[in-house]
Amino acid sequence: GIQVEQSPPDLILQEGANSTLRCNFSDSVNNLQWFHQNPWGQLINLFYIPSGTKQNGRLSATTVATERYSLLYISSSQTTDSGVYFCAVSNSGYALNFGKGTSLLVTP
Amino acid sequence: ETGVTQTPRHLVMGMTNKKSLKCEQHLGHNAMYWYKQSAKKPLELMFVYSLEERVENNSVPSRFSPECPNSSHLFLHLHTLQPEDSALYLCASSQDRGPEAFFGQGTRLTVV
């Protein structure tokens, strides 16, 4: 399957700071999603972004498919942004291949 | 509010018990999935059903038995589990192979 690498594995921010999370993948993809896993375990859809740039409030994402990476930007971080951020990809099959995630802690 | 609902949210079971996890999707999708999330490991696909037929089975032990009676419901029947099967089990749905999958809240399973 496609290999997905996320960096950094862990990140601690003070409230109000900005951050960039990275996702590298090993093959061409036709589906790329970013998720936020809250402390209760639920995966919240952030972006469906196999290519291009999208923004939603304080979050934005960019995928450069030709170079096989995607970036998730979090601006003016809040404590509620804490949790694990996952990148997941697929390229024709049903299954999503997940990275190991970036664990984010935003402190007051 | 999620379009994919899982019950129960938490389950503790002994190794000789039989239990079932339930998933229901209200999104009109035709594909449903079970994923397993163990501590310190990426989410792993277990099963995929499309139009109520199993289309992927990712080398999962037979003590896990899926059932998809219709395109809105998916079950995972559990029997004689091992402590290492303790994990978060997540259900998801999508329309065919994409473009986007949506997940339920998960069932946190502990096998004692």
Side-chain angles (χ1 to χ4, degrees):
Chain A
I2 305 173
Q3 304 302 307
V4 181
E5 292 185 5
Q6 291 186 242
S7 60
D10 300 282
L11 187 58
I12 301 175
L13 297 175
Q14 265 205 316
E15 207 166 19
N18 302 329
S19 62
T20 301
L21 281 57
R22 186 177 180 102
C23 171
N24 293 333
F25 42 94
S26 62
D27 202 349
S28 59
V29 299
N30 59 10
N31 182 359
L32 188 147
Q33 292 184 245
W34 283 99
F35 296 93
H36 175 215
Q37 188 168 40
N38 65 24
W40 298 272
Q42 185 169 8
L43 285 174
I44 309 296
N45 289 43
L46 297 178
F47 294 102
Y48 164 71
I49 188 166
S51 64
T53 297
K54 290 186 177 179
Q55 180 157 8
N56 184 2
R58 295 181 297 103
L59 302 181
S60 64
T62 294
T63 297
V64 184
T66 53
E67 297 188 21
R68 298 183 184 168
Y69 73 89
S70 183
L71 302 174
L72 177 69
Y73 306 96
I74 305 174
S75 64
S76 304
S77 57
Q78 301 175 358
T79 56
T80 51
D81 295 331
S82 297
V84 183
Y85 289 80
F86 288 102
C87 171
V89 304
S90 68
N91 69 352
S92 76
Y94 283 93
L96 283 171
N97 298 279
F98 281 79
K100 293 184 178 179
T102 292
S103 180
L104 173 64
L105 176 64
V106 181
T107 61
Chain B
E1 182 63 36
T2 176
V4 182
T5 303
Q6 290 187 240
T7 54
R9 296 293 305 277
H10 301 271
L11 178 62
V12 179
M13 60 185 289
M15 289 188 283
T16 58
N17 291 160
K18 291 183 180 181
K19 297 287 185 183
S20 295
L21 309 185
K22 178 182 176 181
C23 177
E24 183 174 2
Q25 60 96 1
H26 309 277
L27 299 170
H29 290 162
N30 59 11
M32 296 188 76
Y33 311 72
W34 283 115
Y35 284 85
K36 175 182 178 182
Q37 186 179 27
S38 304
K40 306 296 185 184
K41 293 176 71 175
L43 275 80
E44 303 170 88
L45 178 71
M46 300 177 73
F47 302 103
V48 182
Y49 275 81
S50 176
L51 297 172
E52 299 125 52
E53 287 193 25
R54 193 187 308 181
V55 294
E56 283 193 41
N57 177 352
N58 211 18
S59 301
V60 178
S62 59
R63 56 186 183 269
F64 295 92
S65 175
E67 178 191 1
C68 188
N70 56 62
S71 59
S72 298
H73 293 86
L74 184 66
F75 295 89
L76 188 62
H77 304 299
L78 316 172
H79 62 98
T80 58
L81 294 192
Q82 304 298 311
E84 59 265 29
D85 296 321
S86 298
L88 181 67
Y89 289 84
L90 289 158
C91 174
S93 72
S94 71
Q95 184 60 26
D96 298 320
R97 288 182 171 85
E100 193 171 1
F102 292 84
F103 284 77
Q105 313 98 311
T107 295
R108 195 164 296 278
L109 173 68
T110 303
V111 181
V112 297

